[in-house]
Amino acid sequence: MKLFFKIVLLISVIHLNSGLSKAAIDSTTLNSSNITGNISLNSNTVYLMKGFNYIRNNSTITIAPGTVILGDFETKGTLIIQRGSKIYANGTSSNPIIFTSEKPKGQRNTGDWGGIIILGRSSINTSSGADSAEIEGFGPGLGPVYGGQPVINNDSSGVLRYVRIEFPGVNLTGTAGNEINGLTMGGVGSRTVIENVQVSYCGDDAFEFFGGNVNCKYLIAYKSLDDDFDCDNGYRGKIQFGLSVKDKDIADVSQSNGWEIDNNNNSPANYNSPRTSPIFSNITMVGPYETSGTPVNSLHQRGGHLRRNSLPKIYNSIVMGYRVGFRFDASGVWNASTGDTIQIRNTIMAGNLRLADTNAASSFSPTSWLLTGSYSNNAYQSNAEAGLTSPFNIYPDPSGSNVNNWVPTGSSPALTGSSFANPNLAGFETVNFRGGFGTTNWSQGWSQFDPKNYVLPVSVRSIEGIVPVDFVLSQNYPNPFNPTTKIRFETPVSGNVKLSIYDISGKELAILINGRLNTGAYEYQWNASNYPSGVYFYRLVVSSSNPLETAGFSKTMKMTLLK
């Protein structure tokens, strides 16, 4: 009998020491699905997304903070939000929502899966004059439609906030220029919220806007194959605070640029309206040339390729390290420049092998135009003169979510020189600095600049071998801690579990878990790298699925963060 109990005890210890399992994998919810009712994805489950998944018929997909969605490599998993439907992917700085490759660390690569496509009813233009179009990336007659009637310029397609999109972007048609991008937006309206979104290692454009007037803030394009901010078909939104970083060895056969801005795909371009006229402010655009002698893929070209009668406005930005800073492509663009309907103002251009060029047969000098005194642009010979911390320190990828490479140093000219007096900048946030960053790094906490090698977060792990008989909330371990600690709890009932973090004033800082869990023991590892030292509280609330049989549970405990 003693031997029997020793064996049972040994088995229990083995379970306790080795039984931390990954969250469940759901490969059915997003499996080439046509979703016509509201659905929710929770952070307690990892989702494998296969094939084309359509959110249709005015339906909504809601994705909880901290949720991980893996794009299937074989079927190029893609999420498509059709006109009238919505996505609410509202992550947090400490719990971003992650769309990434299904492959393990060290094996992830550019173009492992499809991407995210959002379609709305804001107005667009086309080369044919039609008011609607099929989104690119599908074969002829197969693509879902954007724009069209009724026109709803203040359309809402939902919220994307604190979202990472890693290794997307594929060409499924075999036709150049007809690919699925990282985040594709077609006719997306002004009430849609796009903030704090990072697209990394995309197999085509990081962000592409086909018409519409959605406004965006805090965008990161990291090591995309093609362009980083591609604007077409009448896009006229406002974008403030952005970062674009190129890898010297990663470039596309169609030539890779920072901005690529067209009125539509007609060549020669036409003047169909609404004209493509985006307004950018506070963008840091880092090309592949650290020095003029850096060996760079010859397909890398321009910080900004302005063409086909587009009317972009760029203010308070930094364009550095490109073969050419800006190309003014064809007479429509240089006529608009001399007519002041294209504007580049208060912008730093540093370390570009050539400041600007044009293919227009005219006397227009893009270099002289950019250096017009009243435009308050600055041109520097070297990248170092822009005064950023270490903008080319990306070989290998910098690890962690606290990367300050693109923050200005104390003597940087980027810390001053901005202007928001231009009427086109009405509604923009007024700051003193130029480029994407001032002294505060808004990418901290939620971004990831080493997506090939990091271990994917699993928000909550179940502990095998324990059958709870009562509710338990254990003291976090270690305590005090810096910066991570583990919180373990047990629930003898199935039901909704909410685990939250509070500061000493009682303010809720983060929701770590808020979803249904089955009976069992669980452990959550909290990363407090984005929080200062101090006393914090964690609170567990469990609501039973059957309150008539089992009462709920609530308990709060204290922990200390020492940095």
Side-chain angles (χ1 to χ4, degrees), residues 110-191:
T110 299
D112 274 348
W113 58 285
I116 300 175
I117 298 171
I118 303 177
L119 307 175
R121 290 190 175 276
S122 182
S123 58
I124 69 169
N125 86 58
T126 63
S127 55
S128 69
D131 61 10
S132 66
E134 291 182 16
I135 201 64
E136 76 170 24
F138 301 76
L142 300 177
V145 173
Y146 65 101
Q149 299 296 323
V151 172
I152 307 174
N153 284 324
N154 66 344
D155 194 17
S156 173
S157 296
V159 175
L160 246 69
R161 183 185 283 125
Y162 291 110
V163 173
R164 298 208 309 261
I165 306 170
E166 300 165 349
F167 309 102
V170 293
N171 186 332
L172 299 178
T173 67
T175 302
N178 190 18
E179 301 91 357
I180 295 177
N181 307 288
L183 178 57
T184 302
M185 290 156 281
V188 177
S190 63
R191 288 194 301 122

Side-chain angles (χ1 to χ4, degrees), residues 6 61 78 102 106 150 164 171-172 183 200 203 205 214 268 275 287 308 332 358 366 375 379 409 470 473 486 528 560:
K6 286 181 180 178
I61 180 171
T78 300
E102 68 164 324
R164 298 208 309 261
N171 186 332
L172 299 178
L183 178 57
S200 301
D205 302 327
V214 61
R275 295 276 288 279
R308 295 176 178 165
T358 180
Y375 295 173
T409 62
D470 203 352
L473 178 61
K486 295 177 180 179
T560 303

Side-chain angles (χ1 to χ4, degrees), residues 411-433:
S411 59
S412 171
L415 290 175
T416 59
S418 69
S419 174
F420 290 84
N422 194 301
N424 290 326
L425 291 171
F428 280 74
E429 181 180 339
T430 300
V431 295
N432 293 325
F433 59 87

Side-chain angles (χ1 to χ4, degrees), residues 544-560:
S544 171
S545 299
N546 190 347
L548 296 178
E549 295 182 2
T550 307
F553 173 79
S554 176
K555 186 175 181 180
T556 302
M557 298 191 72
K558 183 172 73 173
M559 58 184 172
T560 303

Side-chain angles (χ1 to χ4, degrees), residues 399-456:
S399 61
S401 58
N402 186 17
V403 178
N404 293 304
N405 292 13
W406 304 282
V407 173
T409 62
S411 59
S412 171
L415 290 175
T416 59
S418 69
S419 174
F420 290 84
N422 194 301
N424 290 326
L425 291 171
F428 280 74
E429 181 180 339
T430 300
V431 295
N432 293 325
F433 59 87
R434 294 180 286 176
F437 300 92
T439 56
T440 300
N441 183 356
W442 47 260
S443 74
Q444 284 187 6
W446 64 275
S447 63
Q448 176 58 250
F449 292 98
D450 188 18
K452 288 190 174 185
N453 298 304
Y454 79 105
V455 177
L456 280 171

Side-chain angles (χ1 to χ4, degrees), residues 13 123 192 215 384 469:
V13 169
S123 58
T192 307
N215 303 315
V469 296

